[in-house]
Amino acid sequence: MKAWNVVTLAEPREALRLTEQPSPTAAPGSLVVKTLAVALNFPDVLLCRGEYQEKPELPFVPGIELCGIVTGIGDGVIGFGLGDRVIATHLGVMAEEVMVPAATTFPAPEALSDAEAAALCIGYQTGWFGLHRRARLSPGETLLVHAAAGGVGTAAVQLGKAAGATVIGVVGNEAKRQVAQKAGADLVVNRSSEDFVEVVKEATGGRGADVVYDPVGGETFDRSTRCIAFEGRIVVVGFAGGTLQTARMNHALVKNYSLLGLHWALYTKKAPELVAEAHEQLTRLADKGLIRPVVTETVPFSSAPDAIARLGDGTTAGRVVLTL
């Protein structure tokens, strides 16, 4: 079977090589899955560069999120059958066939296509835990979502709307404004020509955003503290802008807001039962048509290096998915 391998740490077009590898056999506690679609994530870029938190030994297969069909079941695995359509998260899924832990594999929602289902798990689970478990977003509150046209951002926009919040999205250009609007944002700010701080204050009558969802960091985080409401919550989910968030705790004290960190992968280790519960909730929302991953591109498996490179350049919007 074919698999993409990172053979050297570099930009994606130089790092990746398509190789032939033996088909996997299901180990105890695992499933073998025939891949239908692989959703690309920014960690795929970082893995190619050698900048991800996990640093596998070269050569290795990247990819962390897929939809596929179960073709093998390991000892001790229950709840799955041959032919089941599933989604899974596991490092090393950018291949025609993969072995994944049963513990991080879930039924694919029937309401979603293969490409949409592949893009459901990480972005929407992050949004679910960030907005519901950490920030306790309530109906009628105002949610500010940064990078609202990206995969993580569009998921947060849809989950915010499903929760009954008014959602303000921040994007980098006019093309991305359309993506955030399609995701359901009530108001979209183009940060290249508008000041999101002033827009939020005006839209909320000076009160500010109750919840800020921040996958960007740096100056974006700093400016968000200027438009956070009394008893507001800022959820830190990443630093895609390249600069870590730096909190001024005296400011949080004086303005009475909370700073909340969100590391979704930690739930898979510390509280896997909550991950399964979140998947059930997300499946219900998908079945009701309240959430649907915004897949802006489906790309042939053979074009993976170029697609990952464009993701790293910040020229993509929504979700980019490899199809087999």
Side-chain angles (χ1 to χ4, degrees), residues 62-204:
I64 56 176
E65 191 172 25
L66 90 162
C67 175
I69 300 295
V70 174
T71 58
I73 302 174
D75 291 342
V77 176
I78 59 174
F80 295 95
L82 296 177
D84 285 355
R85 193 176 72 125
V86 297
I87 62 174
T89 58
H90 184 64
L91 176 57
V93 302
M94 205 172 290
E96 292 179 330
E97 300 173 71
V98 298
M99 182 172 67
V100 294
T104 57
T105 304
F106 304 97
E110 293 182 6
L112 303 181
S113 69
D114 296 336
E116 291 167 341
L120 179 69
C121 197
I122 295 176
Y124 283 85
Q125 287 257 352
T126 299
W128 181 266
F129 281 105
L131 297 179
H132 289 283
R133 189 166 183 87
R134 303 295 284 137
R136 307 292 181 182
L137 181 68
S138 298
E141 290 193 312
T142 297
L143 168 65
L144 176 64
V145 179
H146 291 292
V152 170
T154 51
V157 168
Q158 291 184 357
L159 288 168
K161 290 301 298 176
T166 297
V167 180
I168 302 174
V170 182
V171 299
N173 57 50
E174 287 302 308
K176 292 185 177 182
R177 183 197 294 273
Q178 296 177 20
V179 174
Q181 288 174 333
K182 181 180 179 181
D186 296 286
L187 181 62
V188 182
V189 184
N190 182 348
R191 58 180 166 77
S192 66
S193 59
E194 301 171 273
D195 182 351
F196 73 81
V197 173
E198 294 304 317
V199 173
V200 169
K201 287 181 178 179
E202 181 178 352
T204 59

Side-chain angles (χ1 to χ4, degrees), residues 125-138 141 210-213 231-237 258-264 266-267 274:
Q125 287 257 352
T126 299
W128 181 266
F129 281 105
L131 297 179
H132 289 283
R133 189 166 183 87
R134 303 295 284 137
R136 307 292 181 182
L137 181 68
S138 298
E141 290 193 312
D210 299 289
V211 175
V212 175
Y213 194 77
E231 291 197 325
R233 292 86 74 199
I234 300 177
V235 186
V236 176
V237 294
S258 302
L259 300 174
L260 305 168
L262 189 281
H263 180 198
W264 170 75
L266 204 56
Y267 283 96
L274 296 180

Side-chain angles (χ1 to χ4, degrees), residues 34-39 65-68 114-116 118 321-324:
K34 182 183 186 314
T35 305
L36 298 172
V38 177
E65 191 172 25
L66 90 162
C67 175
D114 296 336
E116 291 167 341
V321 179
L322 304 179
T323 56
L324 286 82

